[in-house]
Amino acid sequence: MADIMQFLRNLRRPGCRSAGLVAVEFRADGIAIAAAEGTGADASLTFCDFLPRLKSNRKQTELSTMVDAAGLVGNRTSLVLSPGQYRMDLIEAPDVPPEELREAVRWRIAGMIDYPVEEAVLDVFLMPEDGLRGGPQTAYVVVARRSVIQPLLDALREAELEPVHIDIRELALRNLVERYCESPRAGALLSLRSGSEGDLTIVREGNLYLHRSVNFSLDSMDRDAATRDAALEELVVEIQRSLDYFEIQLRQAAVSRLAIVPIPDHMDTLMEKLTSTIGAEVFPLQADSLARSERRLSSVKNQQCVAAIGGALRSREAPLASAG
């Protein structure tokens, strides 16, 4: 069996993408799938849907049926890993040549994971030099367990898709920020997930500078006004702290635009609170509007499929390798 860690190499390096790409994210609550054709400003979103979590013996059949009905059989596919399927940490980078970086980091991660290091697949990408704050070189290390990734790749193949990339959620969201923030100043994206977490991603000139999980429960939006307002205030404070960290600690120009993946309820209230607190332009992200699309996605579908859409709109190429 070929080493599937090769899929994770060079996730951040520029390159050319072929005309079409499918992206699939196996989430805890279902499967998100998106397909795009073309590149850059000419990219178009040709398909996007979400399969709610089903009984285990039906999931593969449902995915295969969707792929066949959408005419996606045989398409090149990016597997977008979902939170819980990997971990990403910021570490001090070993002082080794770039080509030796991944192997040098491999033995540092033993204390970070609860399984044998031999079962780990990983990739490493350096922080931009202007974000080092005068300190040592740092790097993001992405680690996943082989036994977690392999069944997902197998599921794609069984659905007659051709897996050629592995992405992580942070870099899929990075792809979206790139499309609406082309200036030298940074852009940010807030994506609130079901449960008690969300993502705040800050990108400048295609580089991931900061990604933080934010503690926020969408369930709080369904409670009384006092509870809802308190939860929103706490979320706004947490976002402001992250933006301050980016500007002061990382010594970067202030974020110019903050996009919010729409939430089903009280979106206007959230935008009003953020607009009155932070200096950036705040706007709702309609993910399908970043690529020409014949049909508008609902706020629920945008929320469910945002990472898959970002994966399908990737403009970076990872090397093709067989996963066995």
Side-chain angles (χ1 to χ4, degrees), residues 98-166:
E99 64 272 13
E100 299 176 13
L101 182 60
R102 186 166 55 87
E103 286 306 313
V105 167
R106 169 170 291 277
W107 301 107
R108 284 197 184 184
I109 67 171
M112 299 164 47
I113 57 178
D114 58 0
Y115 50 87
V117 69
E118 293 81 7
E119 296 182 22
V121 295
L122 64 91
D123 192 22
V124 187
F125 53 100
L126 297 173
M127 271 284 289
E129 291 186 2
D130 64 352
L132 299 180
R133 296 166 288 163
Q137 176 72 67
T138 55
Y140 282 111
V141 56
V142 181
V143 187
R145 193 168 189 169
R146 190 183 309 274
S147 59
V148 171
I149 295 178
Q150 190 64 60
L152 304 179
L153 295 172
D154 291 342
L156 294 179
R157 289 197 176 94
E158 289 169 19
E160 298 188 74
L161 293 170
E162 180 191 356
V164 294
H165 308 293
I166 290 180

Side-chain angles (χ1 to χ4, degrees), residues 13-14 35 73 88 104 116 126 139 170 189 211 247 287 291 317:
R13 293 183 181 174
V73 170
M88 186 173 76
L126 297 173
E170 290 86 345
L189 174 63
H211 177 89
E247 184 177 353
E317 188 77 18

Side-chain angles (χ1 to χ4, degrees), residues 10 12 17 54 74 78 81 97 165 174 179 236 286:
N10 304 321
R12 68 284 178 192
R17 171 166 73 81
L54 303 170
S78 175
L81 297 182
H165 308 293
R174 182 271 318 271
R179 299 184 73 85
V236 170
Q286 193 70 26

Side-chain angles (χ1 to χ4, degrees), residues 186-251:
L189 174 63
L190 174 64
S191 173
L192 299 174
R193 307 194 302 269
S194 58
S196 60
E197 287 190 344
D199 305 285
L200 180 64
T201 306
I202 301 180
V203 174
R204 187 172 74 82
E205 296 184 329
N207 293 308
L208 177 67
Y209 276 77
L210 186 67
H211 177 89
R212 284 186 171 172
S213 294
V214 294
N215 185 21
F216 181 79
S217 174
L218 284 176
D219 294 339
S220 64
M221 296 294 93
D222 298 326
R223 300 176 185 172
D224 61 89
T227 300
R228 180 174 64 246
D229 288 345
L232 286 174
E233 289 290 350
E234 185 176 345
L235 174 63
V236 170
V237 168
E238 190 169 355
I239 292 171
Q240 183 64 67
R241 286 174 178 167
S242 296
L243 298 181
D244 289 345
Y245 176 87
F246 174 76
E247 184 177 353
I248 298 170
Q249 297 299 320
L250 298 186
R251 302 176 183 175

Side-chain angles (χ1 to χ4, degrees), residues 10-24:
N10 304 321
L11 287 171
R12 68 284 178 192
R13 293 183 181 174
C16 296
R17 171 166 73 81
S18 70
L21 186 69
V22 174
V24 179

Side-chain angles (χ1 to χ4, degrees), residues 274-323:
L274 284 168
T275 299
S276 64
T277 303
I278 69 174
E281 175 193 354
V282 180
F283 65 99
L285 177 77
Q286 193 70 26
D288 56 330
S289 70
L290 299 178
R292 293 178 300 174
S293 177
E294 294 182 357
R295 44 193 277 181
R296 190 87 165 176
L297 297 181
S298 66
S299 61
V300 172
K301 193 66 66 67
N302 265 278
Q303 185 184 71
Q304 293 169 328
C305 298
V306 62
I309 294 172
L313 294 175
R314 63 177 287 150
S315 59
R316 286 159 171 77
E317 188 77 18
L320 171 63
S322 170

